[in-house]
Amino acid sequence: MQNTNGWNWEPGRKVETYADCAQNSEWLEEWCVSPDGETVARVACTAPAEFALCVNGKLSENVYEKIICPKFTPDGKLVAFVSQDMEWFLSVDNEVGEEGYGFLWDSMWADGTVAAAVQQDMQYGMIVGGKIWDNLFENGNNFTLSPDGKKSAAVVQVKSLGQADIYTFQEGVFQVAVDGEALGDVFMNVWTPSFNADGSKVAAQVRETLYDYSIAVNGKAWDAKFQTVWEPRFNPKTGGVVAPVRQGGKWGMAEDGKIIWAPKYAQLWHHQFTAEGDIWAICAPEFGKFALVKNDKPFSQTAAVVYDLAVSPDGKRAAAMARGEDRMFSVLTDTGAWNGKYDMVWQPVFSADSSHTAVRVDRNGRQTVIVDGKAYGEDFDQCFDPAFSPDSSKVLIKALNGDEYIRIVADVSEFK
Amino acid sequence: MYNEIFDRKIEDVGLQTGIDRLTPEKIEKTVKQVLEGETGAKLKVYHDTCVRCGMCAKACHFYQSHLEPSYSPVAKIHQSIGVLIEKDGKVGPDFIYQCAQIAYTECNLCRRCVHYCPLGIDTAYMMSTMRRICHKLGVTPQYIQDTAHSHSATMNQMWVKDDEWVDSLLWQEEEARDEFPDMRIPLDVDGVDFLYSVIGPEPKFRTHLIYQAAAIFHEAGANWTMPSEPGWDNSDMAMFSGDFEMMGRLKRAHFECAQKLHVKRIVMGECGHAFRSIYDQGNRWLGWKDYPVEVVHSVEFFTELFKAGKIKMKAKHPGIATIQDPCNIIRGRGLYDHLRFLAHEVCEEIVEMAPNGEHNYCCAAGGGIINCGPPFKNVRMSGNKAKADQLKAAYDKGARTILAPCHNCHGGLEDIIHHYGIDMEIKFLGDIIYANMVKTKAVEE
Ligand code: SF4
Ligand code: SF4
């Protein structure tokens, strides 16, 4: 959950135009806003094939041939990939390391550590905290970091394939690599490695034959095989590994290879653990109808699509985006659906005490923030993800209107 | 008909190695498992109600091209899955070779024959089930299997690595800036109007299509994005190899790319089969009745742009053009009127092929046949004399351009015009629009 301690929670509004960059740029790209709403950044084209970062209206002195994929980390660092003289660099708060790479993508963050996928001399791996893996591989994908940011993992190709070499492929060419060391068995396919809390174990989806899917923990597959599986997660209470599995054409949940939710769902995915070891997920109790589910008990309210599941800090509540058969969006929670219908709904955000839920929504091209189903009395060209104060009484709204960037701290009672 | 008339076996290492590993017991078990566990009443009803009237024969371009009864839809059924149903799966490995060759390479799953069957029997569905059995038996043509492997390993059909995708977008953007100085191919922009998705060959071999699409969107002032991560490829050869589990995984990756970015809809490039995978098969396998994100094909999207006056033509494509109606978007999705509107907007003159619209003949590349690779190229050529005849007739009426808004149609027709010596050129809508549109944002020439 986003830590909002130490942010400015003074009620009121701040409006900035940050016009300086526009005067010195050929164009400015999309706005990126820091989680606390104090920093806004845009990529600025300052001359043909010359780009700078515009941060709070000031153009950086460093310019590059390209700047792509800028984003803020939860602790407020501005990360982007920049390119100069055919090399790519990771820029963190406008500082770039000395080392350049063939390509960088998929920036990620965990507990203060910034990492990214890297290609160097057509070999693949990761850079973590500015350091590249000692071993790189012929291909790599599905990159991830442990929750404490100390370990990194990816799916890596450990054997070469000739053209249309279907049988070498079927013997297995992929492994999980942790910090550049390939681990355990080689599989036909591996997807979505995921670490436990201290990074000591990594679980991944694997396909062992064209038909047998399983979950491998530290490179060793469960004995049990399934028609297919989705991404595994670690139970923080027991250390067990839990994944949705398909059996007899229906979805259930398995822990360490044993079925814990009998396969009866038309779909079951995006499961999340609470600190107590409860499991929330999105399920389809029947074809075409999706719902929230907790510990194998689906909630009665259904929608044609459910996505962007968020679980409250106390683990007792959940909310998600829902799309109805009328193709309009709404917010689905453990207590039912909110009344409003929208053209888009973003992932709900819970307050620290789990009592309030805020959601960014779009209706007819205007955006606002809704708290507990009640709208803020103003809409904007664009909003960003809302946040709650540590005492759960205030909501941070970050928005754009024309050339204005607006930071509002509103009391929960202002949403009516 | 068991094995009696099948004298057209083609060597393929995937099919041969597959049957070498089979036993009669394995075949019987697998056939039963698919027939009992995965097909509903539909398959049985189709099988039981077919009166063998043969009215479907003239529907199929393979039959029309060979004028040989064993290529008729009903005969293909009764040389493959019909036998498996009747014999309860008690057949030998050689027969599975025949089943696989028929299902993967002699049926495009084009669904033309459904329209001609008085009982509404969907031969393509039966052939898909046949392919599903072959997939489960490990008897699939080498090249389409390799494509399915690529999908599984990279989430795209051409073994394009993560970085190569973004790199090709940046390259096209850079190229385009010589023409449109402030053109962008926006990456991962949240909340925009649409995500543009393409098929694997575009970043690999046909990067100019990305350039052209981006140029059209730029000119139209569109608010769009492309994803920087896997899921960008909307294509799906796993659907055609019978690997439905992989089809589901691919469609999940594709739709979640769009959901993560909260785009209002997905605009798909000019591809037909990918559209089928998204609006019909892949979405449903995942449990969605509808698609979870609004999806429109380029043919629909370009129509919107023209009707809204966002794209105007400086000149029309010169000469006479004919239209190849891609099965999956015309018969499958009903975009006939959209395509006619566009064709007349962008081309000086159109002559229609006959038959056309929902009665069009497939290009013979669709349904994954072209992806079965070189061993089966001649099957497509000899099996689509019907299309060559149509094209020649259009040529005789003056057509020199074939407008084909589908990648498979392009590949298939390209081979056909070379094979039959028809001097025509094949164009995507994007080719013609880009070349002839008013470019208000381009540098002065
Ligand atoms: S037209 Fe229909 S009923 Fe007649 S042979 Fe063909 S599939 Fe059978
Ligand atoms: S190719 Fe088309 S017309 Fe021929 S059998 Fe297959 S689905 Fe029917």
Side-chain angles (χ1 to χ4, degrees), chain B residues 49-57 73-74 116-119 121 123:
Chain B
T49 55
C50 173
V51 292
R52 306 201 184 188
C53 64
M55 286 177 72
C56 51
V74 56
Y116 290 77
C117 173
L119 301 170
I121 291 171
T123 299

Side-chain angles (χ1 to χ4, degrees), chain A residues 4 8 12 28 105 168 174 180 208 214 236 255 262 317 364 401 408:
Chain A
T4 65
N8 176 4
L28 288 163
W105 69 101
T168 305
F174 291 101
E208 295 176 277
S214 188
E255 179 163 14
R317 305 190 51 208
N364 298 328
N401 244 352
I408 300 168

Side-chain angles (χ1 to χ4, degrees), chain A residues 66 211 231 270 308 346, chain B residues 135 174 190 252 256 262:
Chain A
K66 293 186 198 325
Y211 324 104
E231 54 274 16
H270 293 286
D308 264 345
W346 277 258
Chain B
H135 159 72
E174 198 172 307
D190 183 80
R252 179 183 175 191
E256 288 192 352
H262 304 96

Side-chain angles (χ1 to χ4, degrees), chain B residues 59-62 73 76 106-113 123-124:
Chain B
C60 182
H61 48 282
F62 282 100
K76 286 185 275 194
E106 295 180 3
C107 175
N108 293 101
L109 311 181
C110 77
R111 289 186 175 147
R112 187 168 194 265
C113 47
T123 299

Side-chain angles (χ1 to χ4, degrees), chain A residues 1-2 270-272 282 292 306-312 318-322 329-333 338 344-351 356-362 368-370 384-388, chain B residues 190 259-262:
Chain A
M1 200 199 149
Q2 176 72 53
H270 293 286
H271 65 304
Q272 290 184 28
I282 296 167
L292 301 176
V306 179
Y307 187 71
D308 264 345
L309 170 67
V311 176
S312 65
M321 169 278 251
F329 292 81
S330 61
V331 180
L332 193 62
T333 76
W338 291 359
M344 185 51 67
V345 160
W346 277 258
Q347 186 171 36
V349 175
F350 278 98
S351 61
H356 301 296
T357 317
V359 185
R360 169 188 173 191
V361 298
D362 180 310
T368 191
V369 170
I370 311 280
F384 299 86
D385 286 340
F388 284 96
Chain B
D190 183 80
Q259 288 179 315
K260 256 182 235 160
L261 291 170
H262 304 96

Side-chain angles (χ1 to χ4, degrees), chain A residues 70-344:
Chain A
K71 70 181 187 201
F72 280 95
T73 60
D75 62 353
K77 294 188 190 92
L78 177 58
V79 176
F81 302 120
V82 303
S83 166
Q84 192 65 31
D85 302 326
M86 311 290 281
E87 284 194 308
W88 285 90
F89 302 84
L90 181 65
S91 160
V92 180
D93 282 340
N94 229 333
E95 305 260 326
V96 300
E98 306 226 316
E99 189 83 36
Y101 304 99
F103 207 79
L104 293 166
W105 69 101
D106 196 7
S107 71
M108 60 192 80
W109 178 95
D111 204 19
T113 302
V114 175
V118 65
Q119 175 264 102
Q120 184 73 314
D121 302 323
M122 302 315 285
Q123 297 279 302
Y124 292 77
M126 293 183 77
I127 53 167
V128 183
K131 205 178 157 306
I132 193 166
W133 280 0
D134 289 338
N135 297 318
L136 300 177
F137 300 86
E138 190 172 338
N139 195 4
N141 50 36
N142 290 256
F143 304 92
T144 193
L145 273 178
S146 62
D148 62 6
K150 295 202 168 72
K151 297 269 181 137
S152 54
V155 174
V156 296
Q157 186 178 342
V158 293
K159 269 192 242 167
S160 298
L161 284 171
Q163 210 206 339
D165 187 357
I166 56 178
Y167 296 112
T168 305
F169 181 87
Q170 288 174 13
E171 281 160 17
V173 296
F174 291 101
Q175 266 179 301
V176 170
V178 172
D179 296 339
E181 294 296 332
L183 191 77
D185 293 336
V186 181
F187 300 98
M188 187 183 298
N189 289 109
V190 184
W191 303 280
T192 64
S194 169
F195 283 100
N196 64 351
D198 67 4
S200 60
K201 285 186 182 166
V202 62
Q205 305 175 65
V206 295
R207 181 164 73 151
E208 295 176 277
T209 73
L210 286 173
Y211 324 104
D212 295 312
Y213 291 72
S214 188
I215 299 295
V217 183
N218 287 354
K220 289 283 162 215
W222 289 347
D223 290 337
K225 312 299 169 207
F226 302 94
Q227 287 171 332
T228 189
V229 297
W230 294 136
E231 54 274 16
R233 296 282 174 260
F234 283 89
N235 183 332
K237 262 306 214 232
T238 66
V241 176
V242 172
V245 297
R246 186 170 159 105
Q247 218 174 38
K250 296 278 181 201
W251 288 91
M253 199 75 87
E255 179 163 14
D256 299 335
K258 292 188 189 59
I259 294 288
I260 54 169
W261 300 8
K264 57 179 176 290
Y265 298 101
Q267 189 50 270
L268 181 63
W269 52 19
H270 293 286
H271 65 304
Q272 290 184 28
F273 273 100
T274 69
E276 271 65 52
D278 292 323
I279 304 171
W280 285 92
I282 296 167
C283 74
E286 59 182 286
F287 177 74
K289 293 192 188 311
F290 284 75
L292 301 176
V293 53
K294 184 185 184 189
N295 296 338
D296 203 12
K297 291 190 186 62
F299 286 76
S300 57
Q301 185 91 35
T302 64
V305 181
V306 179
Y307 187 71
D308 264 345
L309 170 67
V311 176
S312 65
D314 67 3
K316 298 201 168 84
R317 305 190 51 208
M321 169 278 251
R323 185 177 188 256
E325 284 183 12
D326 58 0
R327 300 183 172 178
M328 293 298 288
F329 292 81
S330 61
V331 180
L332 193 62
T333 76
D334 51 297
T335 52
W338 291 359
N339 281 330
K341 299 243 181 157
Y342 307 95
D343 299 320
M344 185 51 67

Side-chain angles (χ1 to χ4, degrees), chain B residues 305-417:
Chain B
L305 294 183
F306 275 87
K307 289 201 166 158
K310 290 184 175 166
I311 292 290
K312 295 192 175 69
M313 298 296 275
K314 190 168 64 194
K316 290 192 175 188
H317 182 68
I320 302 175
T322 189
I323 304 170
Q324 165 66 10
D325 287 309
C327 306
N328 287 308
I329 63 165
I330 303 297
R331 199 156 33 245
R333 166 84 167 188
L335 299 185
Y336 177 85
D337 290 338
H338 290 78
L339 184 51
R340 290 304 171 288
F341 166 79
L342 281 171
H344 288 279
E345 285 286 313
V346 305
C347 295
E348 274 180 353
E349 192 179 340
I350 298 288
V351 296
E352 292 284 356
M353 278 193 262
N356 67 352
E358 77 239 39
H359 295 290
N360 77 315
Y361 284 124
C362 178
C363 61
I369 299 190
I370 196 169
N371 303 77
C372 295
F376 301 99
K377 183 175 172 192
N378 198 45
V379 176
R380 290 188 285 118
M381 297 305 100
S382 61
N384 217 355
K385 187 178 158 296
K387 180 59 69 184
D389 290 345
Q390 278 192 306
L391 292 173
K392 279 184 197 152
Y395 181 91
D396 290 344
K397 289 185 198 155
R400 296 294 178 268
T401 302
I402 308 165
L403 185 57
C406 169
H407 278 272
N408 270 323
C409 291
H410 264 247
L413 297 184
E414 197 71 54
D415 289 337
I416 284 172
I417 57 176

